[in-house]
């Protein structure tokens, strides 16, 4: 991580110096090129951060305990509300959700899944996200559902592969690593994760955690 960041800092620093000290020597196109360079550097930094997190999730020992998942979900949603300005998103959170899980990793999982739902409902009037527990094909599972952009169901398996994106960066920003991180966390807990959806009709993500007392269901 440190080795990758060193050249990025140089690229960003010299690009910023050119813009700050020599902008008058550049035309508008030249200044735009430098801004694009800095934007690409920042994106590479985000990719490094996400890859580092993915790597650490595979190595850190699990610290499982009983977690009030409803409270954890509310905390994640409140953080999203604070950082989303005036945007209105209806969130339905089931009461009494419980999980036998590593609380730090569970928070990362929820931040990725709820954050994705928040992002992919950006262009949806009456955006809504639903978080709870249910029985799916006879299997108790947690879920995060939304009424956003959705995805082509035939590519559902690709969602959990690093850098696989079903939407362009221009449509929805992101690194394409978040769902791979979710899968790694679920697998470390002895569970599985899967997705259902359709283009323009929203998406549903389900996951299990081996040994969890799930609490409330719908």
């Amino acid at each position: 991580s440190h080795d990758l960041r060193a050249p990025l800092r140089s690229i960003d620093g010299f690009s910023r110096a050119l813009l700050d000290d020599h902008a008058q020597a550049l035309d508008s196109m030249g200044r735009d090129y430098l801004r694009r360079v800095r934007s690409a550097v920042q994106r590479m930094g985000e990719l490094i951060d996400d890859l580092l997190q993915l790597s650490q999730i595979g190595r850190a020992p699990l610290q499982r305990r009983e977690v009030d998942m409803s409270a954890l979900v509310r905390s994640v949603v409140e953080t999203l509300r604070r950082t989303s300005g005036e945007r209105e998103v209806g969130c339905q959170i089931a009461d009494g959700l419980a999980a036998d899980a590593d609380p730090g990793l569970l928070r990362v999982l929820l931040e990725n899944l709820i954050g994705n739902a928040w992002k992919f409902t950006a262009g949806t009037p009456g955006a809504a996200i639903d978080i709870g527990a249910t029985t799916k094909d006879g299997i108790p599972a947690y879920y995060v559902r939304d009424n956003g952009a959705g995805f082509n169901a035939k590519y559902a398996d690709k969602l959990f592969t690093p850098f696989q994106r079903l939407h362009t960066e221009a449509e929805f920003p992101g690194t394409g690593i978040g769902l791979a991180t979710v899968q790694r966390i679920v697998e470390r807990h002895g569970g599985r994760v899967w997705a259902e959806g359709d283009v323009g009709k929203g998406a549903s993500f389900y996951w299990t955690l081996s040994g969890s007392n799930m609490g409330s269901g719908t």
Side-chain angles (χ1 to χ4, degrees), residues 1-9 44 48 51:
S1 174
H2 291 298
D3 291 341
L4 288 169
R5 288 184 189 283
L8 286 182
R9 284 195 296 269
M44 186 64 190
I48 292 171
L51 281 171

Side-chain angles (χ1 to χ4, degrees), residues 23-130:
Q24 70 281 0
L26 299 169
D27 60 15
S28 59
M29 184 175 292
R31 291 190 294 271
D32 181 59
Y33 286 165
L34 283 174
R35 293 188 187 97
R36 292 189 187 193
V37 168
R38 295 198 66 204
S39 176
V41 167
Q42 291 165 6
R43 175 163 171 76
M44 186 64 190
E46 293 171 358
L47 284 167
I48 292 171
D49 288 341
D50 286 352
L51 281 171
L52 187 60
Q53 182 183 64
L54 184 62
S55 173
Q56 290 171 336
I57 284 169
R59 295 196 309 267
L62 284 180
Q63 303 291 334
R64 294 184 79 143
R65 62 179 176 84
E66 191 71 11
V67 180
D68 181 346
M69 198 164 82
S70 293
L72 193 54
V73 169
R74 292 188 184 96
S75 174
V76 171
V77 169
E78 180 57 31
T79 299
L80 286 166
R81 291 197 190 282
R82 286 199 307 267
T83 58
S84 297
E86 300 298 318
R87 189 169 169 224
E88 293 291 333
V89 180
C91 291
Q92 182 175 334
I93 303 168
D95 292 324
L97 292 174
D100 174 31
D102 182 301
L105 293 183
L106 185 58
R107 184 177 189 93
V108 172
L109 179 151
L110 291 169
E111 286 174 343
N112 276 288
L113 289 181
I114 300 172
N116 269 2
W118 201 276
K119 175 171 64 178
F120 287 107
T121 56
T124 303
I129 302 172
D130 182 14

Side-chain angles (χ1 to χ4, degrees), residues 180-195:
T181 300
V182 167
Q183 185 178 55
R184 182 76 59 87
I185 292 171
V186 169
E187 288 176 347
R188 290 214 61 199
H189 285 81
R192 72 182 188 95
V193 59
W194 67 98

